[in-house]
Amino acid sequence: MTWEEPEAAVGRFVGWLGDALPDDYHRRYREYRRDLEFRRSYQLAAFEAGWLVPDWEEGLGGQGMEPRSAQWVRLEAARRAIPKPPCVQAVGIVAHSLRTFGTPEQRDLHLVPALRGDEWWALGMSEPDAGSDLRSLRTTASVDGNHYVLNGSKVWTTQAQASRWCLLFCRTENERTGNSDVSCLIVDMALTGITVRPVAMAVGREDPFCEVFFDDVRVAASCVLGAPHEGWAIARSSLEAERDMIWTMNWSDLYRIMGRVAERCRQKPQDPIPLDLYGRCLAELEGIARVGMSASNQRLDGRPSADTYIMKLLASEALQHVVALEANIVSPKEICAEELQDDLYESLAATIYGGTSEIQRNIIGERVLGLPRPTLD
Ligand SMILES: Cc1cc2nc3c(=O)[nH]c(=O)nc-3n(C[C@H](O)[C@H](O)[C@H](O)COP(=O)(O)OP(=O)(O)OC[C@H]3O[C@@H](n4cnc5c(N)ncnc54)[C@H](O)[C@@H]3O)c2cc1C
């Protein structure tokens, strides 16, 4: 691990970014945001230069940076609205799980293609009757010789139609204990018996949801991530990585939209602006960055923290506040602008994916505030 002052690390990153991004990137953000090929080349360039995950080792998209400096760089990247990888879950969630739980063979086979963006990954958690309550998972994998036979279905599986692999959570019988446990499988999406159906969307998105059906799909036993029946630990860790990714992404959008609002106010000072909403959004913008930074420092110091639940909740709701603020001040014509519409739809989803706001509140209530778990009777 190399020691470097966080400010110096950020300075190097900003210098690199100046060369990596086109001069008109921020002006034409909407076009670049929809350009998957552009985002793919940025991901590859960041991987090769060690800026994709700076605290990871060289060769894995990092440069062995001290985690505190890497956190500064991450926030600076969010502030500058860097291009998101075309398949965010491959970098922000799956790669973490592979690196933490994968066998050496699994890491060798999958990590680099996922981080370079050569192979996309779907995340197979949600099912028709198991969204907020993942314990209700019903997809099963039963042992047959040196294979698992997979049956069931997943839903809301982002980009499954274009993914090479799926990180899939399913029920397995633990013969030793007689319990039904959860295991995590690396599933090749080209296997016989898998049907992927994209869900028709009311708005155009570059990352459609899918339903995925598994009918007697034979998956080699070597494709269990880590060890059999360890799925809960992997799910917890994957969801933690997901919340961490989400709050930074939402904060990045919040910062960008707030910039747009401020610019409009400069250009049309005569237009009224709801100052209470404006003040709230400014406070949220500042507050989230500070709380996020101090929470991650706390985590780096080894002090347990429920920070990702809190940050996910705050950032996703703040994103909706800033979009509401902008919708409040623009003209009826401006409200139809495609960029604002994109942000509006994206912000609506933010309080659902990665666990809804209600679920984050439940968990914060129970684990942080020590409140009793609500009962139905
Ligand atoms: C853009 C987007 C991308 C997604 N991508 C993926 C993906 O790639 N892979 C994947 O597996 N999933 C994905 N999801 C699914 C997402 O994880 C689920 O939508 C989410 O966990 C909620 O589950 P659900 O939709 O089944 O809602 P439900 O669990 O049915 O909940 C319905 C409503 O009831 C509320 N509720 C439920 N239980 C409680 C409770 N105990 N207390 C209070 N309120 C409660 C919820 O907050 C919600 O408002 C994605 C979702 C979105 C929006």
Side-chain angles (χ1 to χ4, degrees):
M1 195 179 297
T2 42
W3 166 252
E4 184 182 25
E5 287 295 337
E7 291 86 350
V10 168
R12 276 197 307 115
F13 172 65
V14 171
W16 174 81
L17 204 58
D19 295 332
L21 289 182
D23 292 342
D24 60 357
Y25 176 69
H26 289 103
R27 195 165 43 79
R28 293 177 49 216
Y29 178 78
R30 180 170 189 272
E31 288 156 63
Y32 285 116
R33 171 191 197 166
R34 297 200 151 216
D35 184 344
L36 291 186
E37 206 33 61
F38 164 76
R39 286 164 53 187
R40 154 103 173 87
S41 5
Y42 174 83
Q43 175 178 347
L44 190 54
F47 171 86
E48 282 171 354
W51 291 114
L52 188 67
V53 206
D55 46 332
W56 286 12
E57 50 272 46
E58 275 180 41
L60 283 186
Q63 42 187 279
M65 188 180 282
E66 197 265 331
R68 218 174 292 264
S69 300
Q71 184 63 13
W72 276 58
V73 169
R74 206 158 73 105
L75 219 54
E76 187 62 28
R79 193 173 284 126
R80 289 171 184 268
I82 58 150
K84 293 175 193 157
C87 179
V88 289
Q89 63 274 7
V91 179
I93 306 171
V94 174
H96 286 262
S97 307
L98 289 169
R99 185 166 174 265
T100 310
F101 297 97
T103 62
E105 294 75 24
Q106 289 167 342
R107 291 204 295 263
D108 284 350
L109 186 63
H110 295 300
L111 261 176
V112 168
L115 290 163
R116 283 171 49 94
D118 296 339
E119 292 180 348
W120 287 17
W121 283 74
L123 186 64
M125 286 188 170
S126 306
E127 296 185 3
D129 293 314
S132 299
D133 182 11
L134 214 50
R135 283 167 302 185
S136 307
L137 282 184
R138 279 204 242 150
T139 296
T140 55
S142 41
V143 177
D144 181 18
N146 58 357
H147 280 77
Y148 285 98
V149 181
L150 200 55
N151 278 290
S153 66
K154 296 286 170 182
V155 72
W156 313 128
T157 324
T158 303
Q159 295 172 320
Q161 88 295 348
S163 291
R164 172 76 178 82
W165 305 96
C166 178
L167 194 72
L168 179 126
F169 294 83
C170 56
R171 293 253 156 226
T172 41
E173 289 304 320
N174 188 334
E175 284 169 9
R176 196 176 51 78
T177 61
N179 291 334
S180 163
D181 284 337
V182 169
S183 295
C184 179
L185 301 185
I186 296 171
V187 177
D188 181 343
M189 292 297 280
L191 286 175
T192 305
I194 300 182
T195 309
V196 178
R197 252 191 241 149
V199 174
M201 309 280 281
V203 287
R205 283 175 63 110
E206 66 277 14
D207 50 354
F209 302 122
C210 299
E211 292 176 284
V212 188
F213 300 91
F214 302 90
D215 294 300
D216 290 332
V217 178
R218 293 181 69 79
V219 179
S222 59
C223 293
V224 174
L225 181 63
H229 317 304
E230 276 193 356
W232 281 133
I234 301 173
R236 273 196 296 275
S237 161
S238 303
L239 287 166
E240 163 114 10
E242 183 174 25
R243 288 189 297 273
D244 205 28
M245 171 186 83
I246 289 172
W247 85 253
T248 322
M249 265 178 10
N250 289 167
W251 187 79
S252 176
D253 289 338
L254 174 63
Y255 194 90
R256 178 175 52 79
I257 300 168
M258 209 52 192
R260 214 160 58 201
V261 168
E263 182 56 29
R264 192 181 190 284
C265 292
R266 263 192 297 277
Q267 285 177 4
K268 300 194 175 177
Q270 70 283 5
D271 283 3
I273 176 163
L275 286 175
D276 53 343
L277 253 184
Y278 189 66
R280 174 184 184 162
C281 290
L282 271 180
E284 285 176 329
L285 184 67
E286 266 306 304
I288 288 169
R290 279 164 199 264
V291 177
M293 193 62 98
S294 97
S296 61
N297 286 344
Q298 205 171 311
R299 210 159 15 128
L300 292 174
D301 290 342
R303 281 178 285 153
S305 145
D307 56 351
T308 59
Y309 295 105
I310 298 170
M311 299 312 296
K312 199 270 167 185
L313 175 69
L314 290 179
S316 58
E317 299 206 338
L319 182 57
Q320 292 183 352
H321 298 156
V322 75
V323 173
L325 168 68
E326 190 174 23
N328 223 295
I329 59 173
V330 297
S331 68
K333 188 168 167 230
E334 286 171 314
I335 208 166
C336 297
E338 285 176 331
E339 190 161 2
L340 176 52
Q341 290 293 313
D342 286 350
D343 286 325
L344 179 63
Y345 292 127
E346 293 273 331
S347 72
L348 290 177
T351 51
I352 302 174
Y353 55 65
T356 64
S357 287
E358 290 79 10
I359 296 302
Q360 310 303 314
R361 285 197 167 86
N362 282 354
I363 295 173
I364 294 165
E366 287 165 31
R367 298 197 197 156
V368 182
L369 303 174
L371 300 175
R373 183 182 274 255
T375 52
L376 294 176
D377 43 40

